[in-house]
Amino acid sequence: MEINIFWFRRDLRLDDNVGFTNALKGTYPVLPVFIFDNEILTELTKDDARVTFIFESVQKMRKELQEHQSSIAVYFGKPIEIFRQLTSEYTLKNVITNRDYEPYAKQRDKEVKELLAKKDIGFYTYKDQVIFEKDEVVKDNGEPYVVYTPYMKKWKEKFDESKHLEKVSYRQWQNLIQNTRLPNVTLRDIGFERSKIKVPDFDISADLLASYKQHRNFPSEDATSRIGPHLRFGTVSIRELVTLALKATDKTYLNELIWREFFMQILWHFPKTTHNAFKEKYDRIQWRNNKEEFKAWKNGKTGYPMVDAGMRQLNDTGYMHNRVRMVVAGFLCKHLLIDWRWGEAYFAEKLLDYELASNVGNWQWAAGSGVDAAPYFRIFNPITQLKKFDKDNEYVKKWISELNASNYPQPIVDHKEARERALKVYKRAVSE
Ligand SMILES: Cc1cc2nc3c(=O)[nH]c(=O)nc-3n(C[C@H](O)[C@H](O)[C@H](O)COP(=O)(O)OP(=O)(O)OC[C@H]3O[C@@H](n4cnc5c(N)ncnc54)[C@H](O)[C@@H]3O)c2cc1C
């Protein structure tokens, strides 16, 4: 029997999934597939919460598909090897999937496509995780935007509700391979164990979106949507979110979703920014990279409550409030003069919503080296930030039980001295 494969990756949902819907509309029965990619997994700790979340999301889809007399075949290995195996097990016509824009994924897909082409099997990809991808929103002269506000304006100009928000669902389950017993793996099979950290539920209610602008900067309030990991792994569709964001009178939430796409197109056009400063001069900064100070930062022991509370929240829950992320990132790069790449890597290890484009983009923003970054001489004062955004110490007390006790560390650097030192080092780098 000739079949098509639909390959799930960062789109772990059956509804409003562009590639999956198109696969179901095709001529051949569809075999849904998910691959735990061992090249990605080897980098992670055994109780990684994101792996547990992916595992549970895939098993949930599997159950739902089994109710429709089908399933999803789940494999563990190198995608190219798994496809080699699948081409010998099945008579494949096409592999269909949603596009992934990260450098590793682009290379992986290129190799899979080449393998399939040699066997005369098609490889078709769809846009699913964004409203606008790659170079759909560029300047009139075709160059990419490197400043957010004009990008956001062009995004809104080009946006057409009837075209971009069309919900794509096609529940023709009989077009799936009718087999409820397709291969599966357990967490243990892939070398992992269940994490104690859970991805929290999200809130995209009209109430939250209505008050988002006024409350989103205060970390003690539960006033942001916590949608990050769901967007990252595709358990919710961007079209659904934009639909809700448009209904809100205030458009701040929509603008945040556009920031996500802004950073994604930056990564697409400038893949070198994963490792290099967007503004080249910033790679001349003489980082101090003191390992003891880095350890104090990671463990929430810098003596600056807002920094410490944030890092402890991250270590305990895999989440940190956006305002606090800005403060801890600025503190690492400027006060401690530690390379933004160290902080980026630590966030990548810990954040449930870790997403390469947004993480690199925001870290380079904090370091001053990125697109649309704050000028280097604007240095967050972690004490003033605390007074402004957590004036009753509600947030910091929640995460630092010993805040007012003698065992709470003294500041590891003096704000004023560290600020002056950062200004000198940055100035030297950018004016050389
Ligand atoms: C140093 C640093 C590192 C960051 N790393 C990541 C990361 O790895 N992954 C990630 O998704 N976000 C990252 N962010 C952006 C932001 O902090 C998170 O998206 C947000 O805190 C997630 O919580 P939420 O879903 O409740 O956000 P909400 O405030 O409810 O926002 C909704 C969604 O909008 C998008 N969004 C909001 N702010 C930003 C932003 N500044 N940049 C890009 N998209 C944004 C996200 O997709 C977010 O989930 C980082 C920010 C900083 C300062």
Side-chain angles (χ1 to χ4, degrees), residues 171-321:
R171 299 188 139 238
Q172 298 301 318
W173 305 118
Q174 72 279 6
N175 296 349
L176 292 168
I177 285 213
Q178 301 292 289
N179 179 355
T180 55
R181 302 172 68 125
L182 294 169
N184 199 7
V185 298
T186 62
L187 263 181
R188 190 188 289 245
D189 293 337
I190 61 171
F192 280 78
E193 55 196 52
R194 203 166 286 276
S195 171
K196 288 189 193 78
I197 297 179
K198 280 230 159 308
V199 169
D201 287 340
F202 57 84
D203 180 359
I204 42 176
S205 61
D207 281 353
L208 182 122
L209 299 189
S211 61
Y212 181 76
K213 187 179 179 187
Q214 291 98 301
H215 297 273
R216 71 187 178 118
N217 269 311
F218 300 95
S220 67
E221 299 186 32
D222 209 3
T224 68
S225 66
R226 306 293 288 264
I227 201 78
H230 297 274
L231 265 177
R232 172 65 184 85
F233 300 111
T235 45
V236 67
S237 114
I238 184 65
R239 290 169 294 283
E240 186 185 339
L241 285 180
V242 170
T243 306
L244 295 171
L246 281 171
K247 282 188 189 148
T249 16
D250 176 70
K251 296 294 178 275
T252 311
Y253 191 78
L254 176 67
N255 293 343
E256 294 304 320
L257 297 176
I258 300 176
W259 266 108
R260 170 179 171 268
E261 298 199 359
F262 173 68
F263 283 133
M264 282 186 168
Q265 59 93 35
I266 290 291
L267 183 63
W268 171 266
H269 289 286
F270 307 98
K272 68 154 200 165
T273 55
T274 49
H275 301 295
N276 297 110
F278 176 78
K279 295 180 194 149
E280 282 167 18
K281 283 182 180 175
Y282 284 69
D283 273 338
R284 297 189 203 144
I285 293 171
Q286 295 285 313
W287 303 107
R288 289 175 58 251
N289 288 347
N290 179 308
K291 289 196 175 129
E292 281 307 306
E293 290 179 3
F294 186 51
K295 197 168 150 204
W297 177 83
K298 286 199 291 191
N299 294 334
K301 297 215 163 133
T302 66
Y304 283 91
M306 197 150 185
V307 175
D308 294 345
M311 296 309 293
R312 293 182 197 196
Q313 180 181 27
L314 176 67
N315 292 330
D316 282 9
T317 67
Y319 175 77
M320 192 195 302
H321 187 275

